Amino acid sequence: DPAQPITIILDGPNYLRWSSAMKSFLKGRKLWRIVTGDKPTPVKRQDETHDSFADRLEDRDSANHRILTWFTSTSLPLVNMHFSRFDLAKEAWDFLASRYTSADLAHQYQFLSTLNRLHQESGQSIDEFHSQMSYYWGLLAVSEPKWHSLTELISEETRHLSITSQQSPFITAATQRPDNSKRPRCTHCNKFEHTVKTCYDIIGRPPGKSPGPKHAAATTTAPFGSESASHIHQLSMADLEALFNQVLSRTGSSAMSATSGNT
């Protein structure tokens, strides 16, 4: 068995090329079903001896670890350093697939930046340059974000922002319990903010004096009635930009951490 079955060395961004070549090699060796999990672990037959069953298990384990060895020999240390925790080739393969085929905005940005910097080198043929461009355009297509999930996230963030911005100071104040220990309180009417000497129930209300907090509270709570449904909060451009940056950071953080060392 070759120590290095394919010439492509996995570095992260070239995962699609590496996985395609490795898959083709393993199919040629009739080992691909071990990677996919379609070939189950041997089970002892009723008429099979213990030694025969042990040999079949050993053959399966040998094939599994040959595949893991090939994964290691065709990848950079920053990639294969994770393989030590895997006992099965399928586990390592699934790990690589989930790490390097994430469809998100971070991968799109990386591939768009690479395409923007790409130019035909001196002596490079048109066919070679076209193949290089086509490869990165293929990666860009695979990295297309899952817009359905992104739309749901934006919708949820917008709803939360709208509810927060519509919450009035009256509601906020009502949820906070004031410290009444230092507030003056009338011993006649048991109300705060005045004493018995200045209680209007005793000395009467001066002409032109406002009726007090009762009517004010009623006026304050009026917008939360039937008319409030028509006042829909409108997001400003600054709100939308901040919201989009938050969504971008959520969807791209995992992919950026996976690819930051490869750029």
Side-chain angles (χ1 to χ4, degrees):
D1 290 333
Q4 188 169 326
I6 59 176
T7 58
I8 302 173
I9 303 300
L10 176 61
D11 59 11
N14 67 345
Y15 169 76
L16 292 181
R17 292 176 55 212
W18 177 88
S19 61
S20 178
M22 181 60 71
K23 179 180 179 180
S24 178
F25 171 79
L26 292 175
K27 283 187 173 182
R29 293 297 181 107
K30 297 182 179 181
L31 297 172
W32 177 241
R33 293 175 61 205
I34 295 180
V35 175
T36 62
D38 294 333
K39 188 173 184 179
T41 303
V43 179
K44 185 177 181 180
R45 298 186 292 264
Q46 292 183 351
D47 58 345
E48 187 176 23
T49 64
H50 176 76
D51 290 342
S52 176
F53 176 59
D55 289 341
R56 288 200 300 127
L57 281 179
E58 189 175 24
D59 290 343
R60 167 60 182 262
D61 189 56
S62 175
N64 175 73
H65 281 83
R66 279 204 309 273
I67 297 173
L68 284 172
T69 301
W70 289 330
F71 288 174
T72 301
S73 64
T74 58
S75 59
L76 294 180
L78 62 88
V79 176
N80 59 48
M81 62 184 295
H82 301 282
F83 295 166
S84 60
R85 67 177 187 264
F86 301 126
D87 291 327
L88 300 177
K90 174 178 170 50
E91 295 174 342
W93 183 270
D94 291 344
F95 165 78
L96 293 173
S98 63
R99 186 178 180 91
Y100 296 116
T101 59
S102 300
D104 52 41
L105 294 175
H107 276 79
Q108 272 206 322
Y109 176 79
Q110 180 189 18
F111 296 138
L112 283 172
S113 299
T114 303
L115 282 168
N116 185 53
R117 296 192 303 266
L118 205 61
H119 63 276
Q120 186 175 4
E121 301 289 345
S122 177
Q124 186 180 28
S125 67
I126 294 294
D127 288 339
E128 290 175 342
F129 180 65
H130 178 267
S131 297
Q132 193 176 14
M133 289 279 292
S134 298
Y135 167 69
Y136 283 106
W137 278 116
L139 293 178
L140 187 62
V142 173
S143 69
E144 186 70 23
K146 300 176 182 178
W147 291 110
H148 177 68
S149 299
L150 185 61
T151 302
E152 290 180 348
L153 180 57
I154 293 177
S155 177
E156 176 63 22
E157 291 294 337
T158 304
R159 184 188 68 83
H160 176 72
L161 181 60
S162 178
I163 292 176
T164 303
S165 61
Q166 289 180 14
Q167 187 174 11
S168 73
F170 177 79
I171 294 180
T172 304
T175 59
Q176 298 176 350
R177 300 181 63 88
D179 183 10
N180 296 326
S181 61
K182 298 180 180 180
R183 298 171 61 192
R185 183 172 184 175
C186 177
T187 57
H188 173 71
C189 66
N190 290 324
K191 295 180 180 178
F192 291 97
E193 306 302 341
H194 68 275
T195 64
V196 67
K197 294 181 180 181
T198 57
C199 181
Y200 292 159
D201 291 348
I202 298 177
I203 65 175
R205 185 180 305 278
K209 183 67 176 178
S210 172
K214 289 184 178 180
H215 294 280
T219 304
T220 307
T221 56
F224 291 91
S226 59
E227 295 182 359
S228 63
S230 62
H231 297 286
I232 301 176
H233 175 68
Q234 298 295 328
L235 295 177
S236 66
M237 290 301 297
D239 292 332
L240 290 175
E241 183 178 357
L243 174 63
F244 182 77
N245 289 334
Q246 183 177 0
V247 171
L248 179 60
S249 65
R250 288 189 180 185
T251 58
S253 60
S254 61
M256 288 296 289
S257 63
T259 58
S260 59
N262 302 322
T263 56

